[in-house]
Amino acid sequence: SQQGEEDPQALSIQEGENATMNCSYKTSINNLQWYRQNSGRGLVHLILIRSNEREKHSGRLRVTLDTSKKSSSLLITASRAADTASYFCACYGNNRLAFGKGNQVVVIP
Amino acid sequence: DAMVIQNPRYQVTQFGKPVTLSCSQTLNHNVMYWYQQKSSQAPKLLFHYYDKDFNNEADTPDNFQSRRPNTSFCFLDIRSPGLGDAAMYLCATSSGTTQETQYFGPGTRLLVL
């Protein structure tokens, strides 16, 4: 399936540290997206990287994509307490998004 | 602000009692999606509408149906909720021209007693 699988599934860091999450997938994709979900809320789109791109930045976010390894990573630099959330990678292909199970990130003030 | 709105935020129903969840959007997007998300799991696509064209996922139970009376509104009907249908239900939209990025509502938490 296209569904992404995130690693690690839970991460606890101190405020100011960087947080890195990885995502692996199984089939070809048009693009890969990362979403954030605060507890009990909807998902918020963070960043999209296309299959022909290798790296993308948006503010404190950096995402990489390695299509040969079918993997992506999301880096959050200088984390803040407000970054505490679940982070999902989602593979876009066949006109639909397939989400992974998510990474739970806790940033300790 | 343009947004996706879901009502109610919390819904309690009884086993077997039909329930309807609603979603509205001010983004004027062509595509509307319904996802089911159970605790600590990935959102699972149930179905989506591209304008009035309904697209059901192959593994969506017949118990789940949807209506889209106009561009702005979309409804999720659960005909006979079971205990296993307790979940967060997320509505999302995307533009018809670039269907990639999706905009989510806050979700409706459904509890089945």
Side-chain angles (χ1 to χ4, degrees):
Chain A
S1 95
Q2 288 179 319
Q3 187 175 16
E5 294 290 336
E6 291 91 345
D7 169 56
Q9 295 207 331
L11 182 63
S12 181
I13 56 173
Q14 294 287 333
E15 197 167 31
E17 293 181 339
N18 296 341
T20 300
M21 290 156 270
N22 301 303
C23 170
S24 59
Y25 58 93
K26 295 180 180 178
T27 62
S28 62
I29 58 173
N30 296 101
N31 64 65
L32 188 142
Q33 303 176 35
W34 286 89
Y35 287 79
R36 184 186 74 223
Q37 185 177 36
N38 290 86
S39 181
R41 306 288 296 183
L43 283 80
V44 175
H45 179 260
L46 294 176
I47 195 165
L48 179 154
I49 186 165
R50 300 192 183 280
S51 59
N52 61 352
E53 296 176 313
R54 292 296 168 258
E55 186 172 315
K56 205 161 184 181
H57 296 253
S58 176
R60 293 185 296 113
L61 304 179
R62 171 178 169 257
V63 65
T64 62
L65 180 64
D66 187 335
T67 53
S68 66
K69 296 180 180 178
K70 291 186 167 56
S71 68
S72 173
S73 68
L74 174 68
L75 169 68
I76 305 173
T77 60
S79 63
R80 304 167 182 170
D83 294 329
T84 294
S86 292
Y87 292 83
F88 292 85
C89 69
C91 304
Y92 184 81
N94 294 327
N95 297 317
R96 58 177 47 78
L97 275 178
F99 285 87
K101 291 183 180 179
N103 290 79
Q104 175 64 49
V105 175
V106 175
V107 181
I108 303 166
Chain B
D1 287 341
M3 56 198 313
V4 181
I5 302 161
Q6 289 187 247
N7 285 307
R9 294 292 315 281
Y10 299 91
Q11 176 74 57
V12 181
T13 191
Q14 294 178 331
F15 183 93
K17 184 175 181 181
V19 65
T20 295
L21 309 182
S22 71
C23 176
S24 64
Q25 54 125 344
T26 60
L27 297 160
N28 204 32
H29 280 170
N30 297 92
V31 194
M32 294 187 77
Y33 307 82
W34 280 105
Y35 290 87
Q36 179 192 64
Q37 186 182 25
K38 296 188 176 180
S39 182
S40 302
Q41 294 188 20
K44 179 180 178 297
L45 182 63
L46 296 174
F47 25 59
H48 74 277
Y49 276 93
Y50 192 118
D51 292 326
K52 292 185 178 181
D53 292 333
F54 178 70
N55 298 273
N56 198 31
E57 294 299 296
D59 56 354
T60 298
D62 293 339
N63 198 25
F64 291 85
Q65 299 188 345
S66 185
R67 296 169 283 136
R68 189 178 185 186
N70 53 53
T71 300
S72 301
F73 285 88
C74 195
F75 300 97
L76 170 62
D77 300 309
I78 308 176
R79 290 192 298 183
S80 182
L83 298 179
D85 297 327
M88 173 76 88
Y89 290 88
L90 297 165
C91 174
T93 73
S94 67
S95 165
T97 53
T98 55
Q99 300 175 47
E100 302 159 330
T101 300
Q102 295 186 12
Y103 299 82
F104 283 81
T108 295
R109 172 79 62 186
L110 178 68
L111 180 62
V112 181
L113 300 178

